[in-house]
Amino acid sequence: MGVAAAAARAALRPTAATLLLFSRPHQHRRATQHLPFARRRRHSYSSTATVAAPTPTLGDSGGEAPEPEGKAARRRRARESPEGLLRHQLDMCSRNADLPTALRLYDAAVSPESPVPLSLHHYNCLLYLCSNAAASDPDSSAAAAQRGFDIFARMEADGVQPNEATLTSVARLAAATRDPAMAFSVVRRMAAAGVPPRLRTYGPALFAYCDAKDADGAGQVEAHMDASGVVPEEPELAALLRVNADKARAEEVYRLLHRTRALVRQVCDTTAQAVEAWFRSDAASEAGVDKWDPRKIKEGVVRGGGGWHGQGWLGKGPWSVGTSEMDKDGTCQRCGERLVCIDIDPSETDNFASSLTELAIKREARDDFLCFQSWLRRHGPFDAVIDAANVGLYNSKAFSFSQVNSVVNAIQRVTKSKKLPLIILHRNRVSGGPAKVPFNQKILEGWRNAGALYATPPGSNDDWYWLYAAVSCRSLLVTNDEMRDHLFQLLGTSFFPRWKEKHQVRLTFSGRGPTLHLPPPYSIVIQESEDGSWHVPTTTGDDIEKPRQWICSTRKSSK
C-alpha cells in the first residue's frame, strides 16, 4: 500500500466513523425516531417535483377557470423541470458508467447559485456510480469512495430517507475501502430499522470478510443472513468455502459442502476449483477418523434420503482427486463408485402441485385453470407431457407440427403404458396458420381423438399448464426450456430443481429424427458415499451432447 493510498484511507476513516452514527442528530435539527439512518426533510421533493403557480380564480381573471392540467401535460412538465432533467442526465450516466459527468452534475446541483432539490433517485444514482467505481477501479477507488461518503453525508443532512438500494451502495463503498465491519454494520442497522436486507446487501460485507481471510467475520454475516431468511447462492457459498479451507477449518468446510449440495447441487468452474483445492490440501488429509460405526452411517443415509450421511469426514490420509464421467448407470469411470438416485418424498410432490395451483390461479384466469384441472382428471393421468410450443419451434422460426408429432411418437414408445403423451398448445396454434394445412389438420385430429391435446385459452401462459400437468401426473416432461425465467423463480423452492432432474426429457434432432435424452438413473447432485468418497457434479455438462464432468475425491488408502 503506497503512502498516497494510505493517506486516502486515513482520510476516509473519520467519514466512515461519522456515517455509522446515523442516529446522532445535527445540533440544528431534531432527529426523528422511526429510522436511524436519516431524518425527515422539512420539504419533501421528488424527482418530478415542481412548484405549481396559483390557479387563477374567477375574481382574478374575470373569466372562466382554466381546464385542469392533464396527466400527460403534468408528466411532460415534470420531465422538463430542473429535477426531471437532472434525473434523466444521471440515468444516462448510470447507463454509461460515467462517474465524472455525474459528479459534475451533482456539484452544479448543490451549488448556491443554481440549486436543484435532490431526491432519493438522484442520490441512489450517484451512490451507485461511486460504489461501482470504488469496487472496480483500484487507481481511483479511494477518491470514488470518498465522494460517495460525502454524497451520503449530504443526503443524510438533507433528511432524504435511504432505502435498501441506497444502503447497499453504502455497504459497497465500505467494502471497497476494505472495511468489512462497517459494511456489516450498515446491514445490521438496516435490519434493526425494519428495512429488510437482501442478498445483494449482504454481499459486500461477506466478500470483504472473505477477501480479508476473516472466517469468523464471514461466519457472522452468514448467521445474520440465516436469521433474516436470506439464502446464499453459489458465489457466497464458494467464498465461504474458500476462506474456511484457507483457515484449515475442516468441520466448516464439511458443513458448507453439504449446504452447497442442498442449495446449488451442481457447481461452476470457480467453485469446482475451490473444492479441488480443499481436497488436495494438508488440512483435508488430516481431517477425518480411522474408524466409524457403519450402522450409524447407514442410518444417516436413510434419514437423509440417500446420497449423503452427514456424519463427518471418514478415513484418514491424502485424497486422490481428479475429474471423471459417469456411465449410463451412474458408475464413476475413475473410482468405480456407483451414484444413487435420491428419492423425492411423495408428499413434497403433492405440496408442490398445490403451491403451483395457487400461483397459477393468481396469474391465470381462475376458471380457465380450474377447467384444465377438471379436464386433466377426466383424461389423465399421462406418462409424459409435451411442451409443444418449445418442441415445434426447435431450431426453427416456423412452428412444425410434424416435428412435434415425431417427438410424440418417440416418447410414446419409451413410456410404460404406450399411451399418447399430453400435448399442450395454445389455442391460436391449433386454429390458425399452419394448423389449417390438411396434413397438420390430420395430425391434430388424431391427437384430439386420443384425448391427448389440450389447447390453452387466449391470454394464458402455456408454461403453467404443462408444468402443472407433469407435476400432478408425476410424468416425464419433454422440453428444452431450462425453466430459469421469472415464472419459475416464483416457485422459490429447492424441490423444483430436484423434480426437473428426475422428470425433464431434453431432445436433439438429426436427419434420423429426434433423440430423447431421458433423465439419468442417478441424481446429479453432490454425493457423499458410505465409505467417505465425494463426487461433485459441475455445470460443464449442461450441453446434453457432451458428458458431464464430475470431481471425484477418494481416500488413497481406501481405493
Side-chain angles (χ1 to χ4, degrees):
M1 180 70 69
V3 174
R9 188 174 60 181
L12 273 172
R13 187 68 64 173
T15 306
T18 302
L19 288 171
L20 286 176
L21 302 176
F22 297 138
S23 58
R24 183 177 297 169
H26 291 288
Q27 291 181 355
H28 64 285
R29 291 180 181 265
R30 183 181 64 187
T32 56
Q33 300 300 316
H34 68 287
L35 187 64
F37 295 99
R39 288 158 297 286
R40 287 191 181 277
R41 60 195 306 171
R42 298 190 182 190
H43 303 287
S44 178
Y45 295 100
S46 71
S47 61
T48 57
T50 57
V51 179
T55 304
T57 64
L58 287 173
D60 295 329
S61 63
E64 295 183 0
E67 289 286 333
E69 187 179 37
K71 290 182 179 179
R74 287 199 300 272
R75 285 196 295 267
R76 183 173 61 254
R77 186 159 56 84
R79 285 196 303 270
E80 295 171 355
S81 68
E83 300 95 313
L85 291 173
L86 179 59
R87 174 178 181 141
H88 172 72
Q89 291 169 322
L90 289 175
D91 285 345
M92 293 302 296
C93 290
S94 292
R95 185 179 303 173
N96 299 321
D98 186 357
L99 177 60
T101 300
L103 292 176
R104 286 195 294 272
L105 292 168
Y106 167 74
D107 291 337
V110 299
S111 68
E113 291 78 15
S114 55
V116 177
L118 298 179
S119 71
L120 175 64
H121 185 87
H122 295 131
Y123 279 116
N124 277 352
C125 282
L126 289 160
L127 291 169
Y128 171 78
L129 283 164
C130 288
S131 63
N132 267 6
S136 60
D137 187 353
D139 294 334
S140 61
S141 177
Q146 181 68 70
R147 287 306 303 267
F149 285 131
D150 290 343
I151 290 168
F152 184 72
R154 172 75 183 228
M155 176 181 176
E156 197 259 344
D158 279 351
V160 178
Q161 291 182 305
N163 61 8
E164 183 271 335
T166 316
L167 300 169
T168 295
S169 292
V170 176
R172 293 181 68 205
L173 289 170
T177 63
R178 294 178 176 79
D179 193 343
M182 179 186 172
F184 190 25
S185 176
V186 172
V187 179
R188 290 200 305 268
R189 288 174 180 269
M190 282 177 63
V195 181
R198 295 164 58 182
L199 180 59
R200 68 176 186 179
T201 322
Y202 282 102
L206 180 67
F207 293 125
Y209 274 124
C210 291
D211 289 343
K213 309 297 184 186
D214 187 344
D216 289 330
Q220 291 176 22
V221 177
E222 184 191 8
H224 200 282
M225 290 171 65
D226 293 343
S228 300
V230 177
V231 180
E233 294 180 355
E234 185 172 0
E236 291 76 24
L237 291 168
L240 287 163
L241 187 65
R242 279 192 295 271
V243 71
N244 281 283
D246 289 343
K247 293 293 183 180
R249 298 168 61 148
E251 296 310 311
E252 280 298 292
V253 173
Y254 185 85
R255 178 186 68 81
L256 288 163
L257 276 174
H258 275 298
R259 191 162 199 199
T260 303
R261 174 192 57 78
L263 295 176
V264 178
R265 301 174 68 79
Q266 308 162 43
V267 303
C268 68
D269 286 344
T270 54
T271 309
Q273 290 167 9
V275 172
E276 289 190 60
W278 160 254
F279 280 111
R280 289 194 170 99
S281 69
D282 292 338
S285 299
E286 296 168 3
V289 293
D290 288 317
K291 296 180 180 180
W292 57 89
D293 186 344
R295 182 176 52 83
K296 288 186 177 180
I297 301 300
K298 177 70 74 176
E299 289 174 354
V301 170
V302 173
R303 187 167 53 250
W308 65 287
H309 54 77
Q311 304 301 300
W313 300 110
L314 303 183
K316 276 283 190 181
W319 293 80
S320 173
V321 187
T323 56
S324 182
E325 298 171 5
M326 303 297 155
D327 68 12
K328 61 183 179 61
D329 296 320
T331 300
C332 177
Q333 299 299 283
R334 183 172 179 270
C335 72
E337 185 82 41
R338 184 166 183 175
L339 301 187
V340 302
C341 183
I342 300 172
D343 295 333
I344 293 178
D345 188 333
S347 65
E348 287 188 277
T349 302
D350 293 337
N351 292 337
F352 186 68
S354 298
S355 64
L356 187 58
T357 299
E358 292 176 10
L359 279 169
I361 287 176
K362 288 179 183 177
R363 286 161 174 79
E364 299 287 309
R366 178 183 177 87
D367 289 344
D368 288 342
F369 200 77
L370 293 178
C371 284
F372 170 64
Q373 289 181 309
S374 177
W375 182 94
L376 192 59
R377 284 191 292 270
R378 294 195 307 273
H379 292 82
F382 295 88
D383 288 336
V385 177
I386 295 184
D387 172 12
N390 179 273
V391 172
L393 290 169
Y394 180 89
N395 279 348
S396 174
K397 293 182 179 179
F399 184 84
S400 171
F401 278 96
S402 61
Q403 188 162 278
V404 176
N405 199 47
S406 66
V407 174
V408 167
N409 295 332
I411 196 69
Q412 182 184 16
R413 287 193 293 269
V414 301
T415 54
K416 293 179 180 179
S417 69
K418 301 299 186 283
K419 176 182 177 180
L420 276 183
L422 170 60
I423 301 123
I424 301 285
L425 261 181
H426 196 276
R427 192 171 297 169
N428 293 341
R429 295 274 186 201
V430 302
S431 60
K436 294 182 178 180
V437 176
F439 178 75
N440 294 336
Q441 287 182 344
K442 184 176 179 180
I443 292 175
L444 284 167
E445 193 62 29
W447 295 346
R448 287 194 185 97
N449 291 340
L453 174 66
Y454 191 86
T456 58
S460 66
N461 186 333
D462 296 0
D463 297 356
W464 291 113
Y465 290 79
W466 51 253
L467 180 57
Y468 174 80
V471 172
S472 61
C473 291
R474 292 165 167 76
S475 66
L476 296 173
L477 171 63
V478 184
T479 181
N480 279 348
D481 191 328
E482 290 302 325
M483 295 177 267
R484 290 173 178 162
D485 62 19
H486 176 66
L487 182 155
F488 303 104
Q489 298 302 316
L490 292 173
L491 301 173
T493 170
S494 63
F495 174 84
F496 188 44
R498 288 187 286 133
W499 181 88
K500 278 201 307 176
E501 178 187 287
K502 283 180 168 293
H503 293 269
Q504 184 178 8
V505 178
R506 299 162 77 186
L507 63 143
T508 53
F509 280 91
S510 66
R512 297 187 299 274
T515 299
L516 302 177
H517 300 268
L518 296 169
Y522 56 93
S523 296
I524 304 173
V525 61
I526 297 174
Q527 296 201 21
E528 176 192 33
S529 73
E530 292 182 34
D531 67 359
S533 299
W534 286 77
H535 289 87
V536 180
T538 69
T539 54
T540 55
D542 283 348
D543 184 343
I544 57 179
E545 296 182 314
K546 295 181 180 178
R548 184 180 304 278
Q549 298 297 300
W550 291 69
I551 300 170
C552 168
S553 298
T554 63
R555 295 282 189 182
K556 291 181 179 179
S557 58
S558 64
K559 293 293 179 182

